[in-house]
Structure formats: C-alpha cells, structure tokens
Amino acid sequence: MSKKYEVVRYEGFEFFFKYETDPPGMLHIYARGMFEPEDAIEVWFEGTEELENVENNRFETYTDKRGIYWYWLDTQQTKIMIISCFQRTS
C-alpha cells in the first residue's frame, strides 16, 4: 500500500501534500506544476495576498510569482492541506 500524503513539519505547522494515484509516488503539486513542498511552504509564509474562497471552501495565498490553494485540517490551525501550487500569470 502506498502513502497518500507527504507531511512536512516546519515552524510548528504540519503541511500535507497529496500523492497522485497515476503516476503513483509523485506529489500532486509536482505532477501539475513541478513544484516541491518547500515551494508551497514558502508561499504560505511569505504570501502578501490572501483570499478566502468560500465557494470552493479554501484559502488562496499569493506572492508576486506563485500561488497556493489550501485549507486547515484542524481547529487548532496547525495542520494545512496544500491543494495546489502554481505559477502566477500576468
């Protein structure tokens, strides 16, 4: 049985990244945009723009160059599911 998530602990938070089923063993953010967990975590901490997207039940955080979609996994707000990481377009 393969792992469903990679968990990265950083600065008191736990960031969860989903693995793809096809190809197995590849993180979703890598399969979709060739991003590593460190890229998404950097956006989460350094983002200067954050929006709550109620319709899609997620938050959106942006730097000048990248963005992430994410949501809290717990009420203590220490566990973050990263849905997607992407390059911003002009």
Side-chain angles (χ1 to χ4, degrees):
M1 186 165 113
S2 60
K3 294 187 338 182
K4 288 188 174 190
Y5 302 99
E6 179 172 329
V7 180
V8 177
R9 291 168 181 80
Y10 185 76
E11 296 284 326
F13 294 96
E14 290 180 90
F15 294 88
F16 290 74
F17 299 89
K18 190 172 188 330
Y19 281 103
E20 290 284 298
T21 53
D22 188 26
M26 183 179 288
L27 290 176
H28 176 76
I29 63 170
Y30 191 84
R32 299 293 186 254
M34 298 185 73
F35 291 103
E36 298 290 343
E38 294 77 18
D39 299 317
I41 293 169
E42 180 179 304
V43 173
W44 197 84
F45 277 104
E46 296 184 10
T48 56
E49 183 182 346
E50 185 171 289
L51 308 166
E52 183 176 6
N53 185 324
V54 176
E55 182 177 327
N56 291 308
N57 198 30
R58 69 180 184 215
F59 292 94
E60 302 174 5
T61 301
Y62 301 96
T63 63
D64 289 343
K65 296 180 181 179
R66 295 186 184 137
I68 57 171
Y69 297 152
W70 62 277
Y71 60 88
W72 295 111
L73 286 171
D74 63 343
T75 57
Q76 295 82 17
Q77 297 186 340
T78 59
K79 297 179 181 180
I80 300 113
M81 172 61 75
I82 300 293
I83 302 165
S84 187
C85 184
F86 51 90
Q87 200 71 29
R88 285 188 88 169
T89 56
S90 311

